[in-house]
Amino acid sequence: DGHGVYCSKTDRAEAVADLQYLEPSRPFRGGFQYSNQGVMLAGHVAEAVTGKSWEKLVQERILDPAGMKDTYTTIDGLKGSKNRSVGYIFAETANLPQPYLDLKSIGPAGAINSTAEDIAKYMLIQLGDTEGFCSKESLTEMHKPQTLGTPYLWQLEEITDTYYGLCWDTDKYRGIPIVAHGGNTLGFSSRITLMPSEDFGVAVLTNGTTNFLTDALTYTLLDALLDVDGPNWDEKLSATVTAVFEAMGQAMQAKAEAQVKDTALSHDPAAYAGKYTAPGYGTMVIKEADGVFSGCFNGYDAMLNRYHYDIFDITMLVYGMSFQAGFHTGVSGQIDGFECYIEPTVKPVFFTKVS
């Protein structure tokens, strides 16, 4: 979700207004697509209805009544806690510590920072201890399938009836309904899974980016609960994830083979430096020094490496997300902007050079 991470704003109302500039990749109700912006919008609707910020609503209506005293909706709150972990990302041969990622306006989609003890209190609410929080009918509606689809990267014979409820995956595990959701942010991965019929819940919290241990450990514990002699989930999911990364590697190889060698820039390198903007996406500042390019996208640093001709690979230092940008020469003969695929499923976004 390149837009959600790199284009988030401090003012949530401004971020919601930016949604008008995002091209849909499918027709309205044309299929399931996971959307952090959709959750942000729901949070903003709650703000508009109550006149209170999403952060204050979560504190007053969930955290305080539940006694979740070590759970925070902001990075500042997290930094004030002594009981906090450092997040890591695995890079080649080492785990590298990462800064805490401030999600700002898109906070409703993933800004909660919590502990195992506090998450256990929240799971008890979701398992039916709703007094003081919501009606049983509201809880049922949350857990009820609303649309067909799943955000999983894989298909497993153990998981069927994959639907999405109100911010919950509503599936069946070995024929038994489960309610679950995972989350990934810079340096951390987590997953909550509830099996209401067994009055059981498990939360797996890890301090590693995109860590599939959350899934392997969850399924292992569910098999133990059900007294099932299941597979080695670490091995099974590792094989699935390896296949995903192999496909990514093949795509990278195809891209390398398509590169045209020994091409030249159409302009002097300094002509590509400047400030570029696009409605809804913000600002990219590109700098050049002795033929070396760097960038800053809405405050996030980026590396620019020329692919061929006037096309560059832009790699964000946070998360390592990469996209290609093609610079455009206007009728004046000068660079007037570039287009890039920040979201690969829609048409490229054009950034206009403004200085």
Side-chain angles (χ1 to χ4, degrees), residues 154-160 172-175 231 233 236:
W154 47 66
Q155 289 184 325
L156 302 169
E157 60 269 23
E158 293 86 356
I159 300 177
T160 58
K172 288 185 178 179
Y173 184 80
R174 299 190 184 278
W233 279 105
K236 184 168 183 173

Side-chain angles (χ1 to χ4, degrees), residues 43-293:
H44 184 60
V45 169
E47 292 176 327
V49 170
T50 64
K52 297 181 179 181
S53 70
W54 170 82
E55 290 81 1
K56 190 172 183 65
L57 286 170
V58 170
Q59 189 69 48
E60 292 181 349
R61 300 198 179 190
I62 300 175
L63 304 185
D64 288 344
M68 298 171 67
K69 298 180 180 180
D70 209 11
T71 298
Y72 309 95
T73 57
T74 65
I75 295 300
D76 287 341
L78 174 64
K79 289 179 177 178
S81 173
K82 296 180 180 179
N83 184 24
R84 68 179 189 270
S85 173
V86 174
Y88 293 85
I89 187 169
F90 183 72
E92 300 295 337
T93 59
N95 287 302
L96 304 179
Q98 298 297 301
Y100 295 128
L101 181 64
D102 188 350
L103 295 178
K104 296 180 283 192
S105 61
I106 209 165
I112 296 288
N113 307 287
S114 192
T115 65
E117 182 178 352
D118 276 7
I119 289 296
K121 295 175 181 178
Y122 182 70
M123 287 194 294
L124 288 173
I125 296 171
Q126 290 291 332
L127 284 170
D129 187 9
T130 60
E131 186 176 353
F133 293 95
C134 66
S135 67
K136 297 290 185 181
E137 291 76 16
S138 292
L139 186 67
T140 298
E141 190 67 22
M142 287 184 221
H143 296 175
K144 187 172 70 177
Q146 305 288 338
T147 184
L148 176 64
T150 175
Y152 296 140
L153 292 176
W154 47 66
Q155 289 184 325
L156 302 169
E157 60 269 23
E158 293 86 356
I159 300 177
T160 58
D161 298 83
T162 52
Y163 295 89
Y164 200 72
L166 297 180
C167 292
W168 286 105
D169 301 319
T170 58
D171 313 320
K172 288 185 178 179
Y173 184 80
R174 299 190 184 278
I176 302 175
I178 61 172
V179 178
H181 210 289
N184 290 287
T185 187
L186 186 63
F188 298 92
S189 297
S190 61
R191 180 179 173 85
I192 294 176
T193 303
L194 309 171
M195 191 172 273
S197 65
E198 303 296 320
D199 199 28
F200 177 81
V202 57
V204 182
L205 314 176
T206 72
N207 59 336
T209 299
T210 315
N211 188 337
F212 295 103
L213 171 65
T214 57
D215 303 279
L217 185 53
T218 294
Y219 299 147
T220 299
L221 291 172
L222 289 178
D223 284 346
L225 172 72
L226 300 174
D227 196 23
V228 170
D229 185 17
N232 182 316
W233 279 105
D234 184 52
E235 293 180 356
K236 184 168 183 173
L237 292 184
S238 291
T240 302
V241 173
T242 296
V244 172
F245 281 105
E246 286 178 348
M248 292 171 60
Q250 291 171 0
M252 292 175 65
Q253 179 62 31
K255 175 185 170 185
E257 292 174 354
Q259 184 181 26
V260 181
K261 307 296 183 182
D262 301 321
T263 62
L265 290 171
S266 62
H267 295 71
D268 183 83
Y272 298 82
K275 181 179 180 181
Y276 300 78
T277 66
Y281 287 86
T283 300
M284 171 74 81
V285 176
I286 295 175
K287 296 181 179 180
E288 181 273 336
D290 299 324
V292 177
F293 296 86

Side-chain angles (χ1 to χ4, degrees), residues 267-345:
H267 295 71
D268 183 83
Y272 298 82
K275 181 179 180 181
Y276 300 78
T277 66
Y281 287 86
T283 300
M284 171 74 81
V285 176
I286 295 175
K287 296 181 179 180
E288 181 273 336
D290 299 324
V292 177
F293 296 86
S294 62
C296 185
F297 185 26
N298 295 325
Y300 294 99
D301 291 335
M303 297 186 302
L304 279 75
N305 294 294
R306 198 168 70 86
Y307 178 62
H308 58 204
Y309 300 109
D310 282 355
I311 299 175
F312 286 71
D313 290 319
I314 299 178
T315 302
M316 305 302 300
L317 299 190
V318 170
Y319 266 123
M321 193 175 293
S322 181
F323 44 88
Q324 282 195 322
F327 285 82
H328 183 264
T329 299
V331 293
S332 67
Q334 304 299 315
I335 296 290
D336 64 0
F338 68 84
E339 62 178 14
C340 65
Y341 287 93
I342 295 179
E343 300 292 349
T345 57

